[in-house]
Amino acid sequence: MNKPKISDGYHSDASKSYSLKSDAYTKQSWFDLDTANIIKRTWQWVCHVEKVANPGDYVTAEIAGQPLAIVRDKSGELRAFYNVCQHRAHHLLEGHGNAALIVCPYHAWSYKLDGRLHGAPHTQHLKEFRKEDICLNQVQVEEFCGFIFVNLDPNASSLLSQSGDLRSEILHWAPDVADLTFGHRLSYDIKSNWKNVVDNFLECYHCPVAHKDFCDLVDMNTYKVTTHGIYSSHMADAGNTPNSAYDVSDASVKTHAVWWLWPTTCLMRYPGRSSMIVLNIIPVGPDRTLETYDFYLETSTPNEMELDAIRYLDETLQVEDIGLVESVQKGMSTPAFDQGRIVYDPNGSGKTEHALHHFHGLVLDAYKSLDDAVV
């Protein structure tokens, strides 16, 4: 008898396909594979370019448990390193700021902004010790559409080359994205697997049932989802009638434009002033995910419409979505569920699950290096 595979039931034709099996959402072994085969090998969002705009600017981050530092060097080149001293592995930088040198707070070894060792106190008597042989371990970093991304895989191709027309799409709808400034952050700790969070984001099949306010905010008859390579586009016109989410009667941006970028980044331009909301999905465990929503606006202080939008997202939309994915996680952890049928509309309606199916295909592609017996 053949051993069941995690890909059983999935079909390249969405109209014939089932979802991923529940084990992929509930088992520690599959979460570990997600970390190794997906998160550590893909482009991960860090921040807006404004945070590292000037020589000496730096910001720290953690990706898949790995501490990183992103720095703008003196020549203006963007660099990323493991945030680890080459002497005794202490962390080097905290938070964000500006520095002329990277100085370890443990023994004061110092590094130039390009990662080369600058100084190491009391090493003059060491034999065969050469400062020029020591450099921080670099990580791939890329500026893309006004944001900074990193990739722990040294062999990964650039985000620009992987993402097809995504850059041109974003700059068409949000040409000023690099000029926006940080306005607000929302943070959430969710009792659900990260893939359930992505699944929920990628379909609006549930919106008429679970998000009635949202269905007034946007014109669901114009909602269309298109999948491409490693991203999907989610587009709709703003609603034409008063809604209970927030008032958009004075909005200068009349389009709801959203992009999901494999695997964990979501860029959203809601009706209102020019803005971009970045949803960063951070896997923590098989049944735990962190989320941050960063609001980049025309001004650092949100206006009244944006404050209403932030309140709506925080107090209504997120409450609804977190309740959904936490319920799904509980259901997947029972013997009552293995996998479900994908709902598909060939016309690309936002009310179906073809973008979710697209995501599942990318997940399975990432697992292909594993033993064929389980995949």
Side-chain angles (χ1 to χ4, degrees):
M1 183 176 179
N2 292 331
K3 185 177 180 180
K5 297 181 179 181
I6 203 71
S7 59
D8 285 350
Y10 177 85
H11 195 286
S12 58
D13 182 345
S15 68
K16 299 179 180 179
S17 188
Y18 284 81
S19 65
L20 289 176
K21 286 182 169 290
S22 58
D23 280 359
Y25 297 81
T26 59
K27 304 297 185 185
Q28 181 68 46
S29 57
W30 286 104
F31 178 80
D32 293 341
L33 290 169
D34 285 350
T35 303
N37 285 51
I38 298 176
I39 306 304
K40 287 185 175 181
R41 295 185 179 183
T42 53
W43 289 97
Q44 298 289 313
W45 180 86
V46 176
C47 64
H48 190 273
V49 70
E50 70 172 350
K51 218 161 193 177
V52 284
N54 303 306
D57 285 351
Y58 67 85
V59 62
T60 61
E62 184 174 293
I63 305 295
Q66 305 300 300
L68 305 177
I70 296 88
V71 179
R72 183 79 66 179
D73 73 14
K74 289 184 177 179
S75 70
E77 184 175 348
L78 195 62
R79 297 180 180 271
F81 311 99
Y82 284 96
N83 192 18
V84 176
C85 182
Q86 296 301 286
H87 173 222
R88 294 272 298 280
H90 199 277
H91 74 270
L92 294 166
L93 295 169
E94 294 273 9
H96 61 91
N98 185 277
L101 287 172
I102 300 170
V103 181
C104 179
Y106 195 9
H107 299 101
W109 280 38
S110 61
Y111 301 84
K112 297 178 181 180
L113 299 181
D114 62 6
R116 292 179 294 163
L117 183 65
H118 172 74
H122 310 299
T123 57
Q124 63 270 28
H125 301 300
L126 297 184
K127 296 178 180 179
E128 300 177 3
F129 177 83
R130 289 163 40 91
K131 286 195 302 183
E132 56 267 35
D133 293 337
I134 298 174
C135 187
L136 299 178
N137 283 289
Q138 297 205 39
V139 171
Q140 289 207 71
V141 61
E142 188 170 340
E143 184 177 328
F144 182 84
C145 290
F147 295 105
I148 305 301
F149 290 80
V150 296
N151 195 320
L152 298 178
D153 182 357
N155 299 314
S157 57
S158 71
L159 178 54
L160 182 63
S161 66
Q162 287 188 34
S163 58
D165 293 331
L166 177 59
R167 181 178 182 275
S168 60
E169 272 196 44
I170 291 174
L171 295 182
H172 171 77
W173 292 104
D176 60 346
V177 61
D179 300 322
L180 299 174
T181 189
F182 176 77
H184 193 74
R185 167 172 281 193
L186 299 172
S187 300
Y188 305 94
D189 192 334
I190 304 171
K191 297 174 184 176
S192 180
N193 185 271
W194 72 277
K195 295 190 294 297
N196 266 329
V197 175
V198 174
D199 284 352
N200 183 71
F201 182 88
L202 289 177
E203 53 92 354
C204 221
Y205 182 38
H206 69 280
C207 291
V209 179
H211 301 316
K212 297 186 185 302
D213 298 311
F214 180 82
C215 292
D216 292 329
L217 176 65
V218 304
D219 181 353
M220 290 301 294
N221 292 324
T222 67
Y223 203 120
K224 187 173 179 63
V225 179
T226 311
T227 61
H228 326 252
I230 64 165
Y231 75 97
S232 56
S233 306
H234 307 242
M235 302 289 178
D237 295 335
N240 297 316
T241 57
N243 71 85
S244 52
Y246 64 94
D247 183 10
V248 295
S249 58
D250 293 328
S252 57
V253 173
K254 301 288 189 180
T255 303
H256 173 74
V258 174
W259 299 270
W260 167 78
L261 173 61
W262 162 258
T264 55
T265 304
C266 307
L267 307 173
M268 299 175 277
R269 192 167 169 88
Y270 272 34
R273 279 200 303 176
S274 182
S275 67
M276 187 68 81
I277 308 168
V278 181
L279 164 57
N280 187 29
I281 298 167
I282 306 165
V284 177
D287 57 359
R288 185 179 176 214
T289 301
L290 302 180
E291 282 186 341
T292 58
Y293 279 80
D294 283 0
F295 293 77
Y296 296 95
L297 311 170
E298 292 181 16
T299 58
S300 59
T301 302
N303 66 15
E304 185 176 350
M305 179 168 33
E306 288 159 348
L307 287 171
D308 286 342
I310 291 168
R311 278 193 293 269
Y312 163 66
L313 200 153
D314 184 37
E315 298 175 8
T316 301
L317 192 61
Q318 273 297 95
V319 172
E320 293 165 347
D321 274 332
I322 290 172
L324 293 172
V325 298
E326 289 187 343
S327 176
V328 167
Q329 187 69 29
K330 287 181 180 179
M332 284 186 167
S333 301
T334 71
F337 183 84
D338 181 43
Q339 61 188 153
R341 191 66 185 263
I342 295 290
V343 175
Y344 172 66
D345 174 5
N347 294 316
S349 165
K351 297 178 184 177
T352 61
E353 298 171 327
H354 58 286
L356 182 152
H357 172 263
H358 170 244
F359 167 53
H360 291 182
L362 291 172
V363 171
L364 292 173
D365 285 345
Y367 290 161
K368 279 185 178 177
S369 61
L370 305 174
D371 185 348
D372 285 343
V374 296
V375 181

